[in-house]
Amino acid sequence: MCCVAWLVLRWPRPIPHFHVVLLLVAWLRDYSLPIFNKKKTNVTAVMDRSPYGQFALELIADIYAALGDFAAVKQDMRGTGWSQGNFSFWRSSANDSYDTMQWISEQSWSDGQVLTVGASADGLASLEEVIDKPKWLIGQFVIFASDEGHGVAFPGYAFREQLITHWLKDTVKDADYWIETIMSHEANGVWWHDLEGEYFDNVVHAPAVFWGGWYDIFLHGNLAAYYDWQYRSMEVAQGKSKLVIDPCGHCQDASHYFTKNLIYGRILLPILLSFDLFEDTTKFSEGAKDVTFYVLGTNDDNAAGNYWTSLDTWPEYTPQNWYFHTNGSLSLAPPTATDAPTYKYDPTNPVPTIGGNNLFGSCGPKDQTPVLDRPDVLVYTSDPLPEPYVITGPLWSTLYVASSANDTDFTVKLMVEDASGANILIQDGIIRMRWREHELEPTPMVPGDVYEVQVGLWNTSFAINTGNRIKVAISSSNYPRFSINPNNGLPLLAHGPNITAMNTLHLGPATPSHFTLPMVKLSQLPEFHALDAMSDRFGLDRPTMTTMIEGFVNKLERMEHLPPMRGTRN
């Protein structure tokens, strides 16, 4: 960096949070003026606020100082890095970023405008920055983040134990306090509202580029954030945001499975979209429409999928119900026979997590075969598909269930059995039954009563190949991805006994348990050659472009929370 200054910012306004030092001092890590350009005044700032420190994701801001006429401003979030005070679980991000933007606007080199970038935890902070409607904010680049606070911690109202506890203990000093606080807020009540984009009415006034991944920990909230910014924002910002969904997100291991057309598109395209947004042009990304995503596929020979598409909006899909049958089959034909398969769920012997939308441990499209033969797992399998079957959109399963306990969990996994016989995970979901009504207070089950519930499995775009089989697995645990339900109906923080439950899935005409798939036609997903389009518009040859991408990858790989981003670059 050509110019570095170390500064102290004092937050003049009271922060409405109970866990804050009255006189809070935070460090602005540094700022750098454009490196390769002569412009040193009247400069727009690109700001990144992070809990990871100067030499991790804050480095992303330097890209814009290096390649454009921007100043990079980097700051440690309160209670992290060199900043004093206490970590606030992003609940003070709006106030803190407002004050930082105001300070930026007062600097002699500033033109009074601020753009923000943020990946992962930094991206969560970026999404909070709109709450106070800072007049200096003109655009955002949000990478692998979510505007659904409760949905991140409690998808299906089950505590996301591995992600929340591991991340907090790795990152913040007062981790135990925050783990206990989060676990005490199982209900989606007002405590979560500051972290929920659905409550950001009439505040989003600047467009954004969103970058997510099908196997990312924040996939659903990333899609929700794009929707909120694109369609629920103030009129001045509506229709001006962009979305890119790659296969991986945080789960870089997924790149080893999806080996075609991957890395160049997933790294270069969203960065160029952000430059176009920040510079108010379309010179780098012309041809990319509002929604660009990777169509997943198997590794079978001549498999459908494994390419990029770019559309004005999400394609219209036809919901198709695939019914569970008494013989273990899965088909579009409604059931005619009745059955009620029952299994024993023992909290001391949970189904181990293999793959999925995880940050720590196993992630991505892992083979589920090792857990499908367990006696507490019900499996339903389709016939080999006569032609490619393409799905794009939300996934959910409707179950008719009962239990011998007053509370339990039901989990659902969607898989594809490929030509090798591997059962590749597409998505999974869960529902904690005492929260099935989505109320502020739990509703216990009546043992033996049958309940109709829906289990959400987030979203995907997947071309299931000819000859593949669709598979669905039902169980009651997926640990450590989700906390173990002891089946006793008590709050998370209460200490109670483990109760073995006999859980039942009801099948038949009156209780047609099924999985709903969002079927589309391949013709609705035309191939978009991201690398060629971006190369033409950017005016770079392949070696230069490779060097640019490798530089960005190298910066991200310095952060210990992200696994290596290496993968096939064809």
Side-chain angles (χ1 to χ4, degrees):
M1 285 173 282
C2 64
C3 181
V4 177
W6 298 90
L7 301 157
V8 178
L9 292 182
R10 293 184 182 272
W11 307 109
R13 298 183 295 142
I15 307 299
H17 186 265
F18 59 88
H19 197 57
V20 162
V21 178
L22 290 179
L23 181 60
L24 180 67
V25 179
W27 284 94
L28 179 70
R29 267 292 188 178
D30 59 28
Y31 70 86
S32 55
L33 296 175
I35 295 175
F36 300 129
N37 298 281
K38 300 297 184 181
K39 188 176 182 181
K40 300 300 179 184
T41 60
N42 201 36
V43 180
T44 299
V46 176
M47 180 181 76
D48 190 333
R49 302 179 60 254
S50 177
Y52 298 127
Q54 181 184 12
F55 297 107
L57 290 184
E58 288 180 10
L59 289 168
I60 294 176
D62 287 339
I63 295 173
Y64 300 89
L67 299 179
D69 288 326
F70 299 104
V73 178
K74 296 166 288 182
Q75 183 183 56
D76 294 340
M77 290 170 59
R78 66 166 70 206
T80 67
W82 284 26
S83 285
Q84 299 178 22
N86 297 295
F87 180 67
S88 69
F89 201 69
W90 297 276
R91 299 171 67 80
S92 65
S93 290
N95 285 339
D96 293 352
S97 62
Y98 186 100
D99 292 335
T100 306
M101 290 185 205
Q102 184 175 35
W103 174 86
I104 291 171
S105 72
E106 296 168 351
Q107 304 311 299
S108 60
W109 47 263
S110 173
D111 66 357
Q113 298 184 110
V114 178
L115 298 154
T116 67
V117 296
S120 193
D122 307 20
L124 300 180
S126 294
L127 293 171
E128 298 299 298
E129 290 164 356
V130 303
I131 293 177
D132 288 347
K133 294 198 286 191
K135 62 182 179 181
W136 313 279
L137 180 64
I138 60 171
Q140 298 177 287
F141 183 24
V142 181
I143 307 169
F144 310 153
S146 170
D147 76 348
E148 294 180 329
H150 184 268
V152 167
F154 293 98
Y157 282 77
F159 181 48
R160 209 168 175 187
E161 179 173 317
Q162 185 181 50
L163 173 64
I164 301 301
T165 59
H166 196 155
W167 186 88
L168 285 168
K169 289 181 177 180
D170 271 5
T171 310
V172 303
K173 296 184 287 288
D174 47 356
D176 289 340
Y177 166 81
W178 281 108
I179 292 170
E180 183 173 333
T181 300
I182 293 164
M183 292 177 68
S184 69
H185 289 90
E186 295 179 68
N188 192 5
V190 295
W191 190 85
W192 291 102
H193 287 186
D194 284 346
L195 305 178
E196 297 281 345
E198 66 175 297
Y199 297 103
F200 295 178
D201 292 330
N202 203 36
V203 296
V204 177
H205 62 281
V209 172
F210 294 91
W211 179 6
W214 292 124
Y215 287 97
D216 186 55
I217 56 174
F218 296 133
L219 168 63
H220 195 267
N222 204 317
L223 299 176
Y226 169 73
Y227 179 85
D228 290 336
W229 262 244
Q230 184 77 333
Y231 300 108
R232 298 182 61 246
S233 58
M234 298 174 66
E235 186 174 352
V236 67
Q238 285 186 13
K240 298 180 180 179
S241 292
K242 303 282 187 181
L243 175 67
V244 177
I245 300 293
D246 70 28
C248 309
H250 283 81
C251 180
Q252 308 305 330
D253 283 351
S255 66
H256 301 301
Y257 189 84
F258 304 105
T259 58
K260 298 178 182 178
N261 309 304
L262 179 56
I263 293 294
Y264 284 132
R266 72 176 295 243
I267 294 178
L268 185 60
L269 176 58
I271 292 175
L272 296 186
L273 287 170
S274 74
F275 268 99
D276 273 358
L277 174 65
F278 287 6
E279 296 182 351
D280 194 24
T281 74
T282 58
K283 63 182 179 181
F284 297 136
S285 58
E286 185 173 307
K289 299 181 180 180
D290 287 352
V291 177
T292 302
F293 56 94
Y294 191 85
V295 182
L296 306 172
T298 65
N299 278 330
D300 301 341
D301 292 339
N302 301 314
N306 296 315
Y307 67 87
W308 291 91
T309 189
S310 193
L311 308 170
D312 292 323
T313 188
W314 290 107
E316 292 286 337
Y317 63 84
T318 300
Q320 290 194 328
N321 294 336
W322 289 74
Y323 294 94
F324 311 143
H325 292 273
T326 58
N327 62 355
S329 66
L330 178 71
S331 76
L332 294 170
T336 57
T338 298
D339 196 8
T342 298
Y343 57 89
K344 180 173 72 174
Y345 163 43
D346 179 357
T348 66
N349 183 28
V351 177
T353 295
I354 303 178
N357 294 54
N358 303 314
L359 178 60
F360 303 103
S362 176
C363 72
K366 300 293 187 181
D367 183 5
Q368 301 300 299
T369 302
V371 297
L372 296 185
D373 287 336
R374 289 173 55 110
D376 57 351
V377 178
L378 306 176
V379 180
Y380 298 91
T381 307
S382 76
D383 290 335
L385 298 174
E387 60 184 4
Y389 186 82
V390 187
I391 54 176
T392 299
L395 307 168
W396 70 94
S397 185
T398 302
L399 306 180
Y400 294 83
V401 293
S403 178
S404 63
N406 66 0
D407 182 41
T408 195
D409 289 349
F410 286 96
T411 63
V412 181
K413 292 180 179 178
L414 175 66
M415 299 159 287
V416 54
E417 182 184 317
D418 66 15
S420 72
N423 294 289
I424 302 303
L425 181 66
I426 297 178
Q427 275 292 357
D428 63 49
I430 191 169
I431 186 168
R432 187 145 291 180
M433 289 298 290
R434 70 176 182 269
W435 293 105
R436 67 191 180 280
E437 303 292 343
H438 308 286
E439 300 289 348
L440 297 179
E441 297 293 334
T443 306
M445 301 175 71
V446 175
D449 282 5
V450 179
Y451 298 91
E452 178 185 353
V453 295
Q454 281 195 348
V455 181
L457 288 82
W458 290 7
N459 297 61
T460 196
S461 179
F462 205 111
I464 304 172
N465 202 30
T466 302
N468 291 167
R469 298 173 186 262
I470 302 170
K471 262 185 185 175
V472 177
I474 311 295
S475 190
S476 290
S477 56
N478 184 358
Y479 180 79
R481 174 161 161 76
F482 303 111
S483 66
I484 295 170
N485 191 333
N487 300 327
N488 58 31
L490 297 175
L492 279 175
L493 293 175
H495 298 286
N498 285 327
I499 297 173
T500 297
M502 301 303 296
N503 291 343
T504 301
L505 177 67
H506 287 264
L507 312 175
T511 54
S513 295
H514 60 272
F515 199 107
T516 302
L517 291 176
M519 191 269 290
V520 299
K521 298 178 180 178
L522 269 177
S523 60
Q524 293 178 260
L525 309 177
E527 188 166 357
F528 173 61
H529 297 279
L531 176 58
D532 293 342
M534 298 306 101
S535 177
D536 291 344
R537 299 304 301 174
F538 207 39
L540 293 177
D541 56 25
R542 182 176 283 265
T544 303
M545 193 181 307
T546 300
T547 300
M548 175 181 174
I549 294 172
E550 290 287 350
F552 182 69
V553 170
N554 288 336
K555 288 188 175 186
L556 286 187
E557 285 183 342
R558 296 184 193 183
M559 178 186 169
E560 62 181 6
H561 296 278
L562 288 179
M565 295 188 72
R566 306 297 171 179
T568 303
R569 286 162 165 75
N570 56 344

